[in-house]
Amino acid sequence: MTLSGNPRETLPLVKCVARARIPTTTGPDIFLHLYANDRDNKEHLAIVFGEDIRSRTLFQQRRGETQQDRMVRGAYVGRLFPGRTLADTDENSGLTLEFDESTGTLKVDPKTTWTKQDTLVRIHSECYTGETAWSARCDCGEQFDHAGKLMGVDREGDIVGGAGRGVIVYLRQEGRGIGLGEKLKAYNLQDLGADTVQANLMLQHPADGRDFSLGRAILIDLGIENVRLLTNNPDKVSQVEYQPVLHCVERVPMVPLSWTNDQEGIHSTEIEGYLRTKVERMGHLLQKPLKLHSMTKPNNSTTITTHSIV
């Protein structure tokens, strides 16, 4: 995908292959979008809150397709029901999608398609250990769950939620891009005394090898323009920018739950070290005082001092 007016980078070409409604255990339905791309053979995802946030590649009219074809891949308006025959018109809601006659491109109508509004977004990298294996080494699973909760509510404390609109872009780049096998080796190095950055470097990997260009391309395909980004990572704020079509208008902090409620969140020595490394080595914007270590090596000797950050 090449966008005129931005000489910095050619974005990956992404295509939404399928979309389906997923009823959830936490309340609102979500629409799971599966993407193919021209950079790797992984199936990246977009978890979309809001039926009217539409993938431009999914909804593009295709030569020779039927209305049934469109419904099966998820390119429909409103909600499916037994006996429905039209994808582009929902008889129950009265909503109808319109398309450019020459190109088949979806016409953006605010009555049917989300556009222009500020949108709550989380760009999330896969973490099998934190999301599936109950790991207390990282806060990835907690951040994933909390992001989804915020997108479904109007407000949580001082944070304005998505009120039923939002996108979690789920990128398949485990272990900051090193893969699950190497990540498990890194965990062993951490048990031997390394922090998360040192462990990656000792395995001959970059401290953070993730590529967020796929995330930008997916957001653009979904028609998202103004992003309220759920992150503590300042690098993600700059990574999400793709002027003039994609702009981060706000960074929404993700405060660990255990910092606001002793009865919630993750409590372990590993998570404290992990969060400390995020602040000290990776510049993450966390606001609770932490005991940090700054290391200097005068005259070939190592002096370790501690200080607090607020």
Side-chain angles (χ1 to χ4, degrees):
M1 176 183 294
T2 302
L3 296 174
S4 61
N6 193 319
R8 293 178 302 164
E9 176 186 14
T10 300
L11 287 181
L13 180 67
V14 299
K15 181 179 181 180
C16 187
V17 176
R19 161 188 181 258
R21 181 183 65 87
I22 309 292
T24 69
T25 59
T26 58
D29 289 354
I30 61 172
F31 287 82
L32 189 61
H33 295 59
L34 187 143
Y35 277 87
N37 71 89
D38 65 349
R39 292 280 178 90
D40 60 39
N41 60 1
K42 297 178 181 179
E43 295 179 325
H44 302 279
L45 302 164
I47 301 165
V48 174
F49 291 71
E51 188 278 335
D52 56 353
I53 297 177
R54 306 195 188 284
S55 160
R56 302 318 193 242
T57 55
L58 182 79
F59 278 84
Q60 175 87 26
Q61 289 183 331
R62 301 174 187 176
R63 187 184 301 274
E65 70 178 354
T66 66
Q67 290 288 295
Q68 178 76 5
D69 293 335
R70 292 178 64 77
M71 287 190 288
V72 169
R73 76 165 182 265
Y76 62 86
V77 63
R79 184 159 178 164
L80 297 180
F81 52 85
R84 180 169 169 174
T85 59
L86 297 175
D88 301 332
T89 296
D90 180 6
E91 299 170 5
N92 290 337
S93 67
L95 297 174
T96 296
L97 299 177
E98 295 185 1
F99 300 84
D100 184 282
E101 292 184 1
S102 60
T103 65
T105 301
L106 175 70
K107 289 185 178 180
V108 175
D109 182 339
K111 291 183 290 188
T112 62
T113 303
W114 180 262
T115 183
K116 300 295 183 184
Q117 297 94 329
D118 295 351
T119 307
L120 198 59
V121 169
R122 166 81 183 163
I123 298 180
H124 188 90
S125 297
E126 178 182 34
C127 179
Y128 178 85
T129 51
E131 296 158 6
T132 307
W134 312 288
S135 173
R137 288 184 182 269
C138 68
D139 59 347
C140 302
E142 177 184 298
Q143 289 188 332
F144 180 80
D145 292 342
H146 196 195
K149 179 182 177 183
L150 287 170
M151 290 175 188
V153 301
D154 294 337
R155 178 179 289 272
E156 182 181 88
D158 295 333
I159 295 177
V160 176
R165 298 291 191 284
V167 177
I168 300 176
V169 177
Y170 191 88
L171 301 177
R172 309 293 299 278
Q173 41 188 11
E174 181 85 41
R176 299 197 188 110
I178 68 175
L180 184 56
E182 293 297 279
K183 179 180 179 179
L184 297 181
K185 295 176 185 177
Y187 281 170
N188 292 330
L189 288 171
Q190 290 170 40
D191 284 343
L192 290 168
D195 63 34
T196 58
V197 171
Q198 291 167 336
N200 274 25
L201 296 176
M202 291 169 71
L203 291 169
Q204 306 300 308
H205 298 298
D208 191 342
R210 292 175 294 178
D211 178 5
F212 295 109
S213 62
L214 280 165
R216 289 196 293 276
I218 288 171
L219 289 173
I220 292 168
D221 178 67
L222 290 169
I224 304 301
E225 297 181 19
N226 296 325
V227 172
R228 301 178 58 230
L229 190 64
L230 282 161
T231 188
N232 300 319
N233 185 348
D235 185 50
K236 278 189 180 179
V237 174
S238 59
Q239 288 269 6
V240 81
E241 291 280 344
Y242 199 82
Q243 296 292 350
V245 294
L246 188 65
H247 179 54
C248 183
V249 297
E250 180 186 357
R251 183 188 74 85
V252 182
M254 301 208 74
V255 179
L257 296 180
S258 63
W259 289 10
T260 58
N261 189 331
D262 289 339
Q263 306 304 314
E264 297 183 2
I266 303 168
H267 300 269
S268 70
T269 56
E270 288 87 353
I271 194 67
E272 286 296 317
Y274 177 76
L275 294 174
R276 184 181 300 116
T277 300
K278 277 188 169 184
V279 174
E280 190 173 44
R281 303 290 298 275
M282 306 185 76
H284 284 214
L285 304 172
L286 292 168
Q287 299 300 312
K288 181 176 176 174
L290 286 170
K291 284 291 186 179
L292 302 182
H293 302 84
S294 60
M295 302 182 66
T296 58
K297 295 184 178 181
N299 301 322
N300 295 322
S301 64
T302 300
T303 301
I304 300 178
T305 60
T306 64
H307 60 282
S308 294
I309 184 169
V310 294

